[in-house]
Amino acid sequence: MRTKSIASFLLVWLSLNTALLAVDGNVKVFFKPYGDLYTSQKATLAVELMSDAFSITDVKIGLHSTSEYLVEAPQSAAFLQQVDVNGSDWQMVHYEYGIYALHAGEIELPAFEISFSASMGYGQPKKTFVLHAPPQTLHVKTPKGIDKNHFVLVTERYTITDSFKPDTKTLTVGDAIEVEIMQKAQGVPDILFCPVHYASNAKMRVYEKEPILQSGMKGDFDVARMDRFTLVATSEGNVTLPERRFRWWNPKTQHVHTEILPKRHFVIKPNPQIALDAQKKKRQKILLVLIGALALLVLLYYLFASRIRAWMQKRKEAYERSESGRFEALTKSVQTSSVAEIYTYFYIWLHTIQGGRRFESFSDIMREYPEFEASLRDFEAALLGEKEIDRESCRHFLKALRERLLRQNIDKKYGLPKHLNP
């Protein structure tokens, strides 16, 4: 019994595989008849898949656009039908591809791969076919008045318009204009429209948006393309958008037409508010720098205040011990102090400027500097209370004496080479 079951299974399996091996398939590819064909006009490429099975599924047709032509793939098969092949009924699936040439001359579509599956019915095994369509040749003419191999849109109706919002010729730095370029045509794919571009420059920035493509429109035009831009004035001066020319050929009238987008000229004026904002920003930046510098100084003073005070105190003490400092104390005492205090400050300063040499009396000073004898005697008389001190004369005397002693010190320092090398 078990042997019978196995034998039955094998018979069924063999019959199914035998039926699957018997399934056959084929393809047929050809251009439907066409007359005079020009660039951008549609040629129809028929692709027919055939099999002697009951159904055809999993269709893949490897036909793609290139730089020489544009392929418009169908959404579904154009039709299904039975055909007679050597006396047998075969199933046939018919597809139609639109081919749009991008230049004139002889255009060759290279061989491409086609695959599909065929089966004898629902639940039956499938047989996959991978076939190759032979190369196809398309003959494209050059329209009259057009250079050979130069692309031109061929259509019976074409128009192009532009719109600027706001429509003005005078702008202020920072102003923006919305630009729309609308192209419309009849009987061509929307992708064949020539795109419009504007380049940015030093005075105007161009921001390009995604174009809007439309097809299946009603009326005189069935396809359209809208290119959109935003123009922003960035610097004062004059800007000109160049003129644009678009050529198209009417196959009905056999004439070349040229549509023109005129040039646009703009005068860009400075924006006073931008200048004010820039000045304000500059002032704010300077203020921030000053505040930062002040904060840094406060921080440094807080960190090094004791050292700074100690250093300043040392400098003050060093100055007070110096000849300049002691002469300053002497001149101040002449203005406000008693004669005895002036006398004390005088000898302290004199000791400093003389480098440690000490005079015993005014007589010693007068012997060495006789030109100051009169002033010294007046000073001595005031010290003894014999007369009032003339503070202004005393100040001039001390100033002259200081200049004399300073010159003497310089002569002592640099006089030796003069004596050695007269």
Side-chain angles (χ1 to χ4, degrees):
M1 187 72 180
R2 186 175 180 182
T3 305
K4 273 182 153 185
S5 298
I6 294 173
S8 299
F9 173 77
L10 289 174
L11 286 172
V12 171
W13 182 82
L14 287 172
S15 62
L16 289 174
N17 280 275
T18 302
L20 182 62
L21 291 173
V23 172
D24 199 2
N26 200 358
V27 297
K28 185 178 180 182
V29 179
F30 58 92
F31 274 110
K32 295 182 73 172
Y34 57 86
D36 293 337
L37 184 68
Y38 300 96
T39 56
S40 76
Q41 284 192 309
K42 179 180 179 179
T44 301
L45 181 70
V47 179
E48 296 181 345
L49 314 181
M50 295 177 291
S51 175
D52 57 359
F54 292 153
S55 66
I56 296 175
T57 58
D58 305 325
V59 177
K60 293 182 180 179
I61 300 175
L63 181 59
H64 305 289
S65 300
T66 69
S67 60
E68 293 190 322
Y69 54 85
L70 176 69
V71 176
E72 185 181 50
Q75 297 295 322
S76 60
F79 57 87
L80 308 175
Q81 69 178 36
Q82 283 189 344
V83 294
D84 179 76
V85 178
N86 297 325
S88 300
D89 290 334
W90 283 42
Q91 301 296 323
M92 187 266 286
V93 183
H94 181 95
Y95 293 92
E96 292 187 351
Y97 281 77
I99 308 297
Y100 297 88
L102 300 181
H103 66 81
E106 189 174 278
I107 296 178
E108 181 175 320
L109 278 67
F112 55 93
E113 186 176 277
I114 300 175
S115 65
F116 63 91
S117 299
S119 69
M120 298 303 296
Y122 179 77
Q124 298 298 317
K126 294 181 179 181
K127 182 177 181 179
T128 300
F129 295 92
V130 179
L131 306 171
H132 289 83
Q136 303 292 321
T137 301
L138 195 63
H139 299 279
V140 184
K141 290 187 174 183
T142 302
K144 295 178 181 179
I146 301 297
D147 296 336
K148 187 177 181 181
N149 296 329
H150 183 79
F151 175 80
V152 65
L153 194 67
V154 176
T155 176
E156 292 185 10
R157 292 185 180 89
Y158 174 81
T159 183
I160 183 169
T161 57
D162 60 4
S163 66
F164 290 72
K165 298 180 182 179
D167 191 359
T168 179
K169 296 181 180 179
T170 303
L171 301 173
T172 301
V173 173
D175 286 352
I177 294 180
E178 297 295 329
V179 182
E180 294 180 353
I181 310 295
M182 175 65 80
Q183 299 182 71
K184 295 180 180 180
Q186 179 73 38
V188 294
D190 51 22
I191 198 171
L192 286 180
F193 283 118
C194 180
V196 181
H197 299 287
Y198 289 109
S200 298
N201 53 56
K203 302 184 184 303
M204 181 173 283
R205 178 70 61 182
V206 178
Y207 297 92
E208 189 168 338
K209 302 176 184 178
E210 286 292 326
I212 298 176
L213 302 178
Q214 294 177 277
S215 59
M217 299 166 57
K218 303 298 182 182
D220 293 339
F221 303 98
D222 59 3
V223 290
R225 176 190 175 102
M226 180 188 291
D227 291 287
R228 302 174 298 156
F229 312 90
T230 299
L231 310 180
V232 179
T234 56
S235 179
E236 62 177 300
N238 297 319
V239 176
T240 299
L241 299 181
E243 177 185 275
R244 297 300 182 91
R245 292 176 175 266
F246 298 82
R247 302 176 74 193
W248 62 284
W249 193 75
N250 189 328
K252 190 173 183 179
T253 63
Q254 301 280 302
H255 283 102
V256 178
H257 300 271
T258 302
E259 306 297 330
I260 300 176
L261 290 180
K263 64 181 179 181
R264 293 270 182 163
H265 183 74
F266 300 96
V267 177
I268 303 176
K269 297 181 178 181
N271 190 333
Q273 186 59 45
I274 292 179
L276 292 175
D277 292 342
Q279 292 179 0
K280 182 179 178 181
K281 188 175 181 181
K282 184 177 180 180
R283 287 196 298 269
Q284 290 176 343
K285 185 176 181 181
I286 293 174
L287 181 60
L288 288 175
V289 171
L290 292 176
I291 292 174
L294 181 60
L296 179 61
L297 289 175
V298 171
L299 178 63
L300 291 176
Y301 181 79
Y302 176 78
L303 295 174
F304 301 102
S306 58
R307 296 184 183 182
I308 293 173
R309 286 194 295 269
W311 176 76
M312 293 179 67
Q313 184 62 31
K314 286 182 180 179
R315 286 200 62 181
K316 180 180 178 182
E317 292 174 354
Y319 178 73
E320 290 175 349
R321 291 193 300 269
S322 69
E323 183 274 331
S324 298
R326 287 178 173 175
F327 185 77
E328 182 181 349
L330 173 59
T331 54
K332 287 181 179 180
S333 69
V334 170
Q335 300 298 325
T336 58
S337 301
S338 64
V339 178
E341 289 175 332
I342 296 173
Y343 180 77
T344 301
Y345 281 113
F346 175 73
Y347 268 97
I348 292 173
W349 166 74
L350 192 62
H351 175 74
T352 303
I353 197 171
Q354 286 295 92
R357 180 182 176 186
R358 193 176 292 277
F359 292 99
E360 296 297 332
S361 64
F362 281 2
S363 300
D364 295 339
I365 301 174
M366 287 185 285
R367 276 195 301 273
E368 189 160 348
Y369 306 106
E371 65 269 27
F372 300 112
E373 182 177 350
S375 297
L376 286 168
R377 289 193 183 280
D378 288 341
F379 191 9
E380 189 175 27
L383 186 62
L384 295 173
E386 297 176 356
K387 60 183 296 187
E388 289 291 329
I389 185 171
D390 186 347
R391 294 181 184 273
E392 185 64 24
S393 298
C394 182
R395 190 175 64 82
H396 286 293
F397 152 65
L398 292 173
K399 183 178 179 181
L401 178 61
R402 183 174 184 251
E403 292 176 356
R404 176 71 176 83
L405 294 175
L406 288 175
R407 273 199 315 272
Q408 183 179 340
N409 290 340
I410 293 173
D411 290 342
K412 286 181 179 179
K413 185 175 181 180
Y414 297 105
L416 183 60
K418 292 180 181 179
H419 291 294
L420 294 176
N421 301 283

